[in-house]
């Protein structure tokens, strides 16, 4: 049967079936998935405050060289490079993370400089092919030092490249920019903070490792949100700083303005964190339609790029703006809660951290980065010195070196003969062979000697840093201070312990015209009291601030804010937060509002005092730096929002103002330590257009720095505080010497005379940089609004002062 082919049967397939426990398999798979989400996606590292995708974006942009001094590149190119080299998890996830790093309303300190439409609080960004990006200046501080072996590197996803495990992070990014993310079984939600405040706290912790939470909260009192706004209620913040979890309320910044001659409106210029105006409008219209909010006639969104956010809620005639505002806060996102959950990775483990722990992790990271950087620089300096030493030998023996090289058969032989002839290492010999002939001059010898000295000094400095923990901390602290100076910005968010208002249900739509006092403090806070009793030792008083002005008025009245430019700004008392009486009958000015949050001052303009606008008010004494005095008569108020009450010369400013009825005294203090006291009756009251008259005769170069008024029957309870120093010293560096003297020790003189000497200068003193005439009890404050001690009363008017431990900026 030739040619026939038989078909053999196929070998039987051997099956391999494994029995598994479905429950165990699901548990194992879910744990692996959870691990991936927690460590590779959702939670930031506590050291640099970045999630892996954010870290890879900044690292890749640094590798690409798209620094702030270079032009923007297409966002699609950055996304493509990050995805192809480091993060193969889809372009949309990478672009979304990059957009967030570039949004100024999301990040307190943006790390990406975006060009184009990167979205808003109400709309998403354009596609990456339409936008461009580069590193923001702050991102340079995050990546600085990567080429100096300051952090560990790890292989990327396919082991073809190395990427940093963590960035050097000269900026405490986790606290400054916050973080949010949802992992499996845990989540993180951290608010942004002020860079300067966080670094100040970190430096304090660096110097005081056992610092308490209260010590650190003196530097970081609360979050500082990108869009500003107000945080009401600080108990939740303190709880979060202590335990890592807490809640606080965010509130939009509102002002009540005349939107038309006959209509008032509530104007919002700052909204809560991550709340957009369109969301507010939508919720507002819904609440109005459902009759939950009354008194609103319309809403306009006047936001633009030039003037920023401006959301105007127009009110119906006859409605109490404060009552409507309370309804808006209750039923719209104009007031929102923020739940703090400080979960971050520490040594690869998710932990819930308080403020002290967050700062400690960052400080330890910067110590490690600085130590590794110093070790790297030390090795490099030693290596450079090694080469320079060999080069110096060659220069000193140049003829022999040239002869060896000329007579050698090849470079290898020349290298060996140089090593043997001059006791050089292989590296030194190779460096000499690569030397250019133009370096072999006498001038090069001088340069090499100078270079040797520089390297020896650098090596000694680096060894000192590595050998001393104290020196290492000094370097870290100095680096932190430089970052704060470079990237720090003023606080934007106002912190209030309480809004001082009653619950929304009890707020009447009709304003109750109850008697009250408006109090204005040296810290710049203004408020109204809950009681009508006289403010002072027998009635409501403020124990945590020095009061500048106290005006008796009513809740529906208006008061005037007198500024250094001689203008009065009208302010409705109903706009002021109410500070309730405490059990000790001492309200806190921390419940007040900064006055510049309520009024729009011109450039170089600031508030001096609060005055009454009532037609029967006492005349107000106004003193200027040039020595003029004016008693402003009642009835000067105008219908407009601001007006001038004293005509000033171009170089003159108002320095003080206070009520001065007939029978009172007026006291003026000049910078050359002269005090003049005279009767208020000597100054005839004038209308708002008056220029004032001569108050005190000044010597050349002197100017008025303080004024005080009071009853002539109360001279023994009034005191003169004078503080002397060096006129050429940098403000705040020399506290100077202070003296407290009863005003009765100074004799009365005629108006427009020179007065009497109030302070004898010590050696090195030539000017009074501060003075005050105030009644007992005296309260002094430092420039940062902290209480300060004054020396004991000195009955001698012409005596020297007592040296101060701290500078004093206000007495009231």
């Amino acid at each position: 049967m030739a040619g026939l082919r038989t078909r053999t049967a196929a070998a039987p397939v051997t099956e391999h079936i494994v029995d598994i426990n479905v429950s165990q398999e699901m548990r194992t798979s879910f744990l692996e998935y959870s691990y991936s989400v927690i460590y590779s996606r959702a939670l930031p590292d506590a050291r640099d405050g970045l999630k892996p995708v954010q870290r890879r974006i900044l690292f890749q942009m640094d590798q690409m060289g798209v620094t702030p001094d270079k032009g923007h590149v297409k966002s699609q190119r950055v996304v493509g490079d990050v995805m192809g080299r480091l993060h193969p998890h889809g372009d949309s996830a990478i672009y979304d993370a990059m957009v967030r790093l570039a949004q100024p309303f999301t990040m307190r300190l943006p790390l990406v400089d975006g060009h184009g439409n990167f979205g808003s609080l109400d709309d998403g960004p354009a596609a990456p092919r339409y936008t461009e990006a580069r590193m923001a200046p702050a991102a340079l501080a995050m990546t600085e030092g990567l080429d100096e072996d300051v952090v560990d590197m790890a292989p990327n996803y396919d082991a073809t490249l190395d990427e940093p495990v963590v960035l050097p992070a000269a900026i405490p990014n986790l606290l400054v920019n916050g973080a949010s993310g949802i992992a499996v079984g845990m989540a993180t939600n951290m608010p942004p903070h002020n860079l300067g405040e966080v670094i100040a706290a970190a430096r304090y912790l660096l110097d005081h490792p056992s610092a308490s939470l209260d010590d650190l909260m003196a530097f970081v009192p609360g979050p500082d949100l990108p869009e500003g706004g107000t945080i009401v209620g600080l108990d939740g913040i303190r709880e979060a700083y202590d335990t890592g979890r807490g809640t606080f309320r965010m509130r939009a910044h509102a002002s009540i303005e005349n939107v038309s001659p006959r209509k008032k409106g509530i104007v919002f210029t700052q909204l809560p964190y991550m709340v957009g105006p369109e969301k507010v409008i939508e919720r507002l219209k819904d609440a109005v339609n459902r009759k939950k909010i009354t008194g609103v006639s319309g809403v306009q969104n006047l936001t633009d790029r030039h003037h920023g956010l401006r959301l105007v809620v127009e009110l119906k005639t006859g409605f109490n703006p404060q009552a409507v505002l309370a309804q808006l806060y209750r039923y719209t996102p104009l007031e929102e809660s923020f739940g703090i959950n400080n979960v971050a990775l520490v040594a690869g483990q998710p932990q819930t951290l308080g403020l002290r722990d967050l700062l400690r992790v960052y400080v330890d990271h910067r110590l490690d980065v600085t130590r590794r950087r110093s070790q790297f620089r030390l090795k490099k300096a030693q290596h450079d010195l090694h080469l320079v030493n060999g080069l110096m030998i060659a220069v000193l023996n140049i003829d022999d070196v040239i002869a060896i090289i000329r007579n050698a058969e090849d470079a290898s032989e020349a290298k060996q003969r140089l090593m043997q002839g001059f006791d050089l290492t292989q590296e030194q010999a190779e460096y000499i062979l690569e030397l250019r002939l133009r370096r072999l001059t006498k001038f090069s010898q001088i340069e090499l000697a100078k270079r040797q000295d520089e390297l020896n000094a650098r090596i000694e400095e680096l060894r000192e840093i590595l050998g001393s923990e104290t020196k290492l901390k000094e370097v870290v602290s100095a680096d932190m201070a430089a970052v704060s100076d470079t990237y720090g910005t003023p606080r934007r968010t106002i912190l209030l312990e309480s809004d001082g208002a009653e619950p929304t249900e009890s707020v009447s739509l009709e304003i109750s015209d109850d008697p009250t006092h408006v109090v204005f403090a040296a810290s710049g806070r203004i408020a109204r009291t809950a009681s009508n009793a006289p403010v002072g030792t027998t009635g409501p008083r403020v124990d945590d601030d020095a009061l500048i002005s106290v005006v008796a008025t009513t809740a529906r009245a208006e008061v005037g804010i007198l500024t250094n430019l001689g203008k009065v700004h009208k302010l409705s008392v109903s706009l002021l937060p109410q500070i309730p009486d405490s059990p000790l009958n001492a309200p806190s000015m921390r419940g007040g509002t900064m006055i510049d949050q309520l009024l729009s001052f011109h450039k170089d303009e600031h508030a001096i005092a609060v005055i009454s606008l009532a037609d029967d008010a006492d005349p107000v004494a106004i003193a200027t730096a040039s020595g003029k005095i004016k008693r402003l008569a009642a009835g000067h108020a105008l219908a407009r929002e601001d007006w001038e009450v004293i005509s000033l010369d171009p170089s003159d400013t108002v320095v003080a103002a206070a009520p001065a009825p007939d029978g009172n005294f007026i006291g003026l203090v000049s910078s050359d330590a002269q005090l003049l006291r005279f009767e208020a009756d000597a100054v005839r009251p004038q209308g708002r257009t008056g220029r004032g008259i001569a108050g005190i005769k000044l010597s050349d170069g002197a100017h008025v720095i303080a004024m005080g008024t009071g009853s002539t029957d109360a001279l023994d309870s009034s005191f003169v505080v004078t503080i002397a120093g060096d006129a050429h010293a940098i403000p705040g560096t020399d506290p100077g010497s202070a003296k407290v003297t009863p005003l009765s020790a100074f004799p009365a003189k005629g108006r427009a005379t020179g007065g009497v000497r109030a302070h004898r200068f010590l050696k090195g003193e030539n000017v009074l940089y501060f003075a005050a005439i105030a009644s007992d009890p005296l309260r002094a404050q430092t420039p940062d609004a902290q209480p300060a001690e004054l020396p004991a009363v000195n009955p001698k008017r012409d005596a020297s002062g007592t040296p101060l431990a701290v500078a004093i900026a206000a007495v009231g």
Side-chain angles (χ1 to χ4, degrees):
M1 298 186 59
L4 290 178
R5 295 184 178 179
T6 60
R7 193 172 185 178
T8 59
V13 177
T14 303
E15 295 183 349
H16 183 68
I17 300 175
V18 179
D19 292 329
I20 63 171
N21 186 304
V22 175
S23 176
Q24 181 62 36
E25 178 65 22
M26 290 294 293
R27 184 179 295 109
T28 302
S29 300
F30 186 74
L31 285 175
E32 291 177 354
Y33 167 73
S34 302
Y35 182 89
S36 174
V37 172
I38 292 171
Y39 296 101
S40 302
R41 188 186 309 175
L43 298 185
D45 192 296
R47 293 170 292 179
D48 62 5
L50 297 173
K51 301 176 185 179
V53 64
Q54 296 171 328
R55 185 179 303 113
R56 288 162 179 164
I57 290 170
L58 295 182
F59 174 66
Q60 186 57 38
M61 293 180 80
D62 180 70
Q63 296 296 104
M64 294 169 63
V66 287
T67 52
D69 57 333
K70 305 289 180 59
H72 294 81
V73 300
K74 280 292 182 182
S75 299
Q76 189 71 66
R77 178 185 168 192
V78 177
V79 171
D81 278 14
V82 173
M83 183 170 64
R85 294 172 178 269
L86 305 171
H87 196 79
H89 299 295
D91 58 345
S92 61
I94 299 171
Y95 185 56
D96 289 345
M98 189 174 76
V99 165
R100 186 183 186 279
L101 293 174
Q103 291 175 332
F105 52 84
T106 302
M107 308 284 283
R108 185 60 178 81
L109 189 66
L111 300 178
V112 171
D113 178 13
H115 182 66
N117 179 15
F118 272 75
S120 68
L121 288 166
D122 296 307
D123 298 305
R129 62 182 179 274
Y130 298 120
T131 62
E132 298 177 339
R134 64 183 177 187
M135 297 176 73
L140 296 179
M142 294 293 293
T143 60
E144 182 181 12
L146 281 174
D147 57 345
E148 294 183 299
D149 190 32
V150 294
V151 294
D152 292 335
M153 305 293 284
N156 68 337
Y157 67 94
D158 61 358
T160 59
L161 299 168
D162 286 336
E163 62 174 316
V165 174
V166 65
L167 293 185
I171 292 173
N173 181 62
L174 186 57
L175 277 165
V176 171
N177 281 322
S180 63
I182 300 175
V184 178
M186 62 185 67
T188 184
N189 198 33
M190 303 177 63
H193 290 76
N194 184 273
L195 173 64
E197 295 175 356
V198 174
I199 285 187
R203 295 180 67 194
Y204 185 84
L205 183 62
L206 187 65
D207 295 332
H208 305 84
S210 60
S212 67
L213 177 60
D214 290 334
D215 294 334
L216 299 177
M217 286 190 67
F219 299 98
V220 186
D224 187 23
L225 308 176
E227 294 294 288
T230 302
I231 291 177
V232 181
L234 304 184
D235 292 340
I237 293 175
R238 195 187 194 288
E239 181 183 0
Y241 287 168
D242 185 23
T243 66
R245 296 175 183 268
T247 304
F248 63 86
R249 286 185 295 151
M250 306 175 291
R251 180 174 288 180
H253 176 259
S255 61
I256 298 174
E257 302 179 6
N258 290 325
V259 296
S260 70
R262 295 181 178 270
K263 183 176 288 188
K264 284 187 176 293
I266 304 176
V267 180
F268 297 94
T269 54
Q270 296 173 354
L271 296 180
Y273 185 46
M274 301 305 292
V275 173
E278 295 301 326
K279 179 181 179 182
V280 173
I281 293 173
E282 180 183 352
R283 292 278 296 275
L284 172 59
K285 290 180 177 179
D286 180 64
V288 171
N289 292 335
R290 294 164 57 192
K291 308 297 183 181
K292 289 187 174 293
I293 295 179
T294 57
V296 174
S297 63
V299 58
Q300 297 184 58
N301 184 7
L302 304 180
T303 304
D304 59 38
R305 294 183 178 180
H306 301 289
H307 302 93
L309 176 71
R310 186 173 176 84
L311 187 64
V312 180
V313 177
E314 298 177 350
L315 304 181
K316 295 179 180 178
T317 304
F319 280 82
N320 182 355
Q322 291 296 118
V324 177
L325 180 59
Q327 294 179 355
L328 292 174
Y329 284 146
R330 182 179 183 185
Y331 295 111
T332 72
L334 292 169
E335 180 176 294
E336 290 276 67
S337 293
F338 188 101
I340 301 176
N341 190 21
N342 296 335
V343 178
L345 297 176
V346 180
Q349 299 292 325
Q351 295 184 17
T352 302
L353 307 172
L355 176 63
R356 191 178 186 279
D357 296 328
L358 288 168
L359 291 172
R360 170 53 61 194
V361 171
Y362 173 72
V363 167
D364 290 344
H365 175 56
R366 288 305 300 171
L367 286 170
D368 183 60
V369 166
T370 306
R371 185 181 295 107
R372 292 181 60 162
R373 182 184 67 189
S374 299
Q375 291 171 345
F376 178 88
R377 291 177 178 178
L378 176 61
K379 291 179 181 178
K380 186 176 185 305
Q382 290 172 333
H383 176 262
D384 291 346
L385 181 62
H386 179 65
L387 297 180
V388 169
N389 288 339
L391 192 57
M392 178 64 82
I393 293 174
V395 170
L396 293 176
N397 301 275
I398 187 61
D399 293 335
D400 295 337
V401 169
I402 292 175
I404 289 174
I405 296 174
R406 178 180 296 171
N407 296 327
E409 293 293 333
D410 52 27
S412 177
E413 180 183 347
K415 179 176 65 176
Q416 292 298 326
R417 294 176 64 180
L418 286 173
M419 293 169 59
Q420 295 172 0
F422 300 103
D423 194 21
L424 301 174
T425 65
Q426 179 175 340
E427 192 175 22
Q428 286 175 322
E430 291 176 349
Y431 187 66
I432 291 171
L433 289 174
E434 296 173 358
L435 183 68
R436 294 185 178 183
L437 291 176
R438 65 182 181 183
R439 296 282 302 276
L440 306 180
T441 63
K442 184 178 182 181
F443 184 67
S444 292
Q445 183 177 341
I446 298 174
E447 284 184 338
L448 289 174
K450 181 179 179 181
R451 180 63 175 159
Q452 280 181 322
D453 294 339
E454 291 175 352
L455 289 172
N456 282 318
R458 182 61 173 155
I459 290 171
E460 182 64 28
E461 178 186 357
L462 292 169
R463 283 175 174 167
E464 184 180 354
I465 293 173
L466 293 171
S468 169
E469 192 70 16
T470 301
K471 186 65 176 178
L472 179 65
K473 289 182 178 180
E474 290 177 359
V475 175
V476 173
S477 182
D479 289 346
M480 290 182 181
V483 168
S484 178
D485 293 341
T486 303
Y487 304 107
T489 56
R491 167 171 279 275
R492 300 172 185 172
T493 302
I494 300 172
L495 303 176
L496 299 180
E497 284 192 350
S498 170
D499 58 2
E502 299 178 357
T504 305
E505 293 84 353
S506 64
V507 178
S508 174
L509 286 175
E510 183 179 352
I511 299 176
S512 178
D513 199 21
D514 296 327
T516 185
H517 281 85
V518 173
V519 289
F520 177 49
S523 62
R525 294 190 180 276
I526 188 170
R528 60 188 175 99
T529 62
S531 172
N532 189 39
V535 176
T537 56
T538 60
R541 64 189 187 276
V542 176
D543 283 345
D544 61 351
D545 216 331
L547 295 184
I548 294 177
S549 298
V550 178
V551 175
T553 181
T554 61
R556 292 173 60 180
E558 293 176 320
V559 294
I561 308 300
L562 178 63
T563 71
N564 61 315
L565 301 184
K567 296 179 66 176
V568 167
H569 295 256
K570 189 186 297 183
L571 180 62
S572 175
V573 177
S574 63
L575 296 180
L576 303 179
Q578 190 177 73
I579 49 176
D581 291 346
S582 71
L584 298 179
N585 205 22
S588 169
M589 280 304 291
R590 284 177 292 180
T593 297
M594 297 300 293
I595 197 167
D596 55 5
Q597 298 289 330
L598 300 174
L599 296 172
S600 297
F601 292 133
H602 298 290
K603 183 181 180 182
D604 301 325
E605 185 180 21
H606 60 269
I608 294 294
V610 179
I611 63 175
S612 174
L613 299 181
D615 291 337
D616 59 349
D618 292 327
V620 176
I622 302 174
T624 74
S626 66
K628 288 185 178 181
I629 191 74
K630 174 181 178 177
R631 276 214 299 165
L632 177 65
H636 58 83
L638 298 180
R640 58 177 183 256
E641 294 302 313
D642 58 74
W643 59 90
E644 189 177 79
V645 293
I646 182 172
S647 299
L648 297 173
D649 294 331
S651 60
D652 203 5
T653 59
V654 173
V655 296
D662 292 341
N664 272 27
F665 67 83
I666 296 177
L668 298 172
V669 184
S670 64
S671 58
D672 58 350
Q674 295 295 115
L675 183 147
L676 175 63
R677 175 168 65 87
F678 55 88
E679 298 298 322
D681 306 46
V683 183
R684 180 176 58 86
Q686 296 178 308
R688 64 179 181 84
T689 58
R691 298 179 59 87
I693 58 178
I696 184 173
K697 185 178 180 181
L698 297 172
S699 59
D700 292 341
H703 59 278
V704 173
I705 60 173
M707 182 201 75
T709 66
S711 172
T712 54
D713 298 331
L715 292 177
D716 291 334
S717 61
S718 297
F719 294 88
V720 179
V721 180
T722 51
I723 304 178
D726 186 353
H728 302 291
I730 299 175
T733 60
D734 179 18
S737 66
K739 183 169 72 74
V740 180
T741 311
L743 184 59
S744 57
F746 298 87
K749 298 286 185 179
R751 181 187 59 80
T753 60
V756 297
R757 185 160 64 178
H759 193 118
R760 186 183 297 275
F761 292 140
L762 296 171
K763 183 178 180 182
E765 298 176 346
N766 53 22
V767 69
L768 286 186
Y769 75 82
F770 178 84
I773 300 175
S775 59
D776 192 46
L778 298 176
R779 302 190 187 281
Q781 286 184 185
T782 63
D784 56 355
Q786 297 300 314
E789 291 291 333
L790 289 171
V793 175
N794 188 337
K796 297 182 180 180
R797 67 170 179 83
D798 190 20
S800 298
T802 301
L804 292 171
V806 294
I808 291 178
V811 173

